[in-house]
């Protein structure tokens, strides 16, 4: 993997947290097919691979190791494989977020956390998932809605894992009740 990627993928919060507990700290970083930074513990989705009549798209794999020789992925169905930069591009491996059961997280889903709270997914970005709670979260800082209607919080994959997030249901869109934009109400 190319050393210049270390500079473009620097996350000041990440290195401080992971160096302290030594759980997933790596000196090497990698990028997905879109150039999004990948860390040990992140999940990817195969978006372009069709080989020998078998469609591998939508397959999910978790990063278990990053080194100069490549990125090691543990696939649910295919086992462990190491990919270099060219193969990550070739197979269209792109970062996704998953719940504790391995289900891909998408906007407008209702999630439950291991503290009993429920939250709505309002945004899935390349670096984080934004959840909106109906009340304060036990998992750190949040932004209180000025109307008092709830709070939001950004989660990386490691935060989702720690919170034990599980997808409960796909939300119903309800624009008739004055919800902000076209997002689902919480």
């Amino acid at each position: 993997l190319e050393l210049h990627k270390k500079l473009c993928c620097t996350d000041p919060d990440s290195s401080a947290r992971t160096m302290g507990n030594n759980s997933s700290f790596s000196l090497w970083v990698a990028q997905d097919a879109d150039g999004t930074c990948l860390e040990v513990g992140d999940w990817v989705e195969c978006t372009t691979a069709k080989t020998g009549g078998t469609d591998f798209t939508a397959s999910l794999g978790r990063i278990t190791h990053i080194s100069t020789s490549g990125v090691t992925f543990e696939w649910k169905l295919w086992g462990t494989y190491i990919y270099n930069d060219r193969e990550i591009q070739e197979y269209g491996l792109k970062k996704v977020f998953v719940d504790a059961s391995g289900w891909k997280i998408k906007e407008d889903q209702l999630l439950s956390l291991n503290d009993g709270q429920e939250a709505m997914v309002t945004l899935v970005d390349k670096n984080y998932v934004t959840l909106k709670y109906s009340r304060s979260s036990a998992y750190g800082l949040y932004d209180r809605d000025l109307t008092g209607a709830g709070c939001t919080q950004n989660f990386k994959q490691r935060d989702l894992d720690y919170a034990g997030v599980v997808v409960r249901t796909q939300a119903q869109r309800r624009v008739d009740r004055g919800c902000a934009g076209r997002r689902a109400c919480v």
Side-chain angles (χ1 to χ4, degrees):
L1 298 178
E2 300 173 28
L3 293 177
H4 75 275
K5 291 183 181 177
K6 182 172 184 181
L7 299 175
C8 73
C9 292
T10 302
D11 174 8
D13 293 336
S14 169
S15 59
R17 280 192 294 245
T18 55
M19 285 176 72
N21 66 18
N22 237 0
S23 63
S24 63
F25 180 69
S26 173
L27 294 175
W28 307 103
V29 295
Q31 295 175 324
D32 73 1
D34 287 337
T36 302
C37 295
L38 298 172
E39 300 175 353
V40 170
D42 283 346
W43 288 79
V44 296
E45 178 177 48
C46 182
T47 62
T48 61
K50 293 180 183 174
T51 306
T54 304
D55 185 357
F56 294 101
T57 58
S59 297
L60 299 176
R62 187 165 200 160
I63 298 172
T64 59
H65 185 71
I66 299 173
S67 70
T68 56
S69 60
V71 182
T72 305
F73 295 94
E74 178 68 36
W75 298 93
K76 289 181 178 183
L77 300 174
W78 321 124
T80 302
Y81 289 91
I82 299 172
Y83 296 85
N84 61 31
D85 289 339
R86 182 191 57 75
E87 293 166 321
I88 289 171
Q89 292 295 320
E90 179 181 337
Y91 294 116
L93 302 181
K94 296 182 183 180
K95 183 175 180 175
V96 296
F97 296 92
V98 301
D99 74 352
S101 301
W103 291 100
K104 184 177 172 182
I105 293 177
K106 303 173 187 173
E107 288 185 14
D108 298 327
Q109 287 176 324
L110 181 63
L111 307 177
S112 65
L113 288 75
N114 61 11
D115 69 350
Q117 290 195 76
E118 290 186 335
M120 184 69 62
V121 179
T122 59
L123 176 69
V124 177
D125 185 76
K126 63 182 183 175
N127 295 309
Y128 59 84
V129 173
T130 302
L131 303 183
K132 182 169 181 158
Y133 299 90
S134 58
R135 56 191 164 105
S136 297
S137 167
Y139 293 103
L141 300 175
Y142 58 87
D143 296 322
R144 170 62 65 186
D145 187 314
L146 295 177
T147 64
C151 56
T152 61
Q153 184 175 8
N154 294 333
F155 280 72
K156 289 191 168 209
Q157 184 63 53
R158 65 177 167 261
D159 303 321
L160 295 168
D161 295 341
Y162 178 77
V165 170
V166 177
V167 173
R168 287 294 173 211
T169 183
Q170 192 70 18
Q172 298 294 320
R173 292 185 182 265
R174 301 193 65 177
V175 294
D176 60 327
R177 297 188 70 190
C179 297
R182 292 183 299 177
R183 300 266 184 242
C185 294
V186 177

